[in-house]
């Protein structure tokens, strides 16, 4: 069991991010014990707080970003996690 913590600035494209999460959970869902974080989407003024266990995943609006620069912070706990792949593929979901 290992963990991967990723943090990067910017606003994600919602459609790209949802497609990535769907694909990632189809491929690695049984190996993902827990994931959670705070992310920002283009066109949304509030941060999105999400969490997931295996293939179950959900999110809700959190506090507004306000003047704060949006920074995505995500943690995955599971087995055989490829940190480089997760980081690169999530960053590719930025606008």
């Amino acid at each position: 069991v290992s963990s991967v913590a990723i943090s990067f600035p910017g606003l994600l494209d919602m459609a790209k991010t949802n497609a990535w999460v769907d694909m990632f959970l189809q491929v690695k869902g049984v190996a993902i014990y827990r994931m959670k974080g705070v992310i920002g989407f283009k066109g949304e003024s509030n941060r999105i707080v999400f969490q997931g266990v295996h293939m179950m995943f959900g999110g809700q609006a959190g506090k507004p970003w306000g003047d704060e620069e949006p920074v995505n912070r995500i943690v995955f706990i599971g087995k055989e996690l490829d940190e480089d792949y997760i980081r690169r593929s999530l960053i590719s979901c930025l606008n």
Side-chain angles (χ1 to χ4, degrees):
V1 175
S2 64
S3 65
V4 171
I6 297 173
S7 179
F8 59 94
L11 294 172
L12 296 163
D13 177 275
M14 188 178 297
K16 287 180 185 177
T17 305
N18 284 335
W20 181 83
V21 168
D22 286 345
M23 179 277 310
F24 185 68
L25 291 179
Q26 285 178 11
V27 173
K28 294 291 285 183
V30 295
I32 302 297
Y33 301 142
R34 186 91 164 96
M35 61 182 164
K36 64 183 189 173
V38 176
I39 56 177
F41 287 121
K42 181 180 177 183
E44 294 288 327
S45 59
N46 290 2
R47 57 194 90 207
I48 303 299
V49 179
F50 76 90
Q51 60 180 328
V53 177
H54 293 293
M55 302 196 61
M56 297 186 313
F57 178 82
Q60 63 186 28
K63 299 186 318 186
W65 290 106
D67 292 336
E68 184 181 343
E69 178 185 10
V71 175
N72 304 284
R73 293 179 176 93
I74 307 166
V75 175
F76 297 88
I77 301 170
K79 57 184 178 181
E80 299 175 13
L81 300 175
D82 182 341
E83 181 174 354
D84 186 51
Y85 165 75
I86 294 170
R87 180 181 306 281
R88 281 185 294 109
S89 58
L90 278 171
I91 289 174
S92 76
C93 294
L94 290 169
N95 298 333

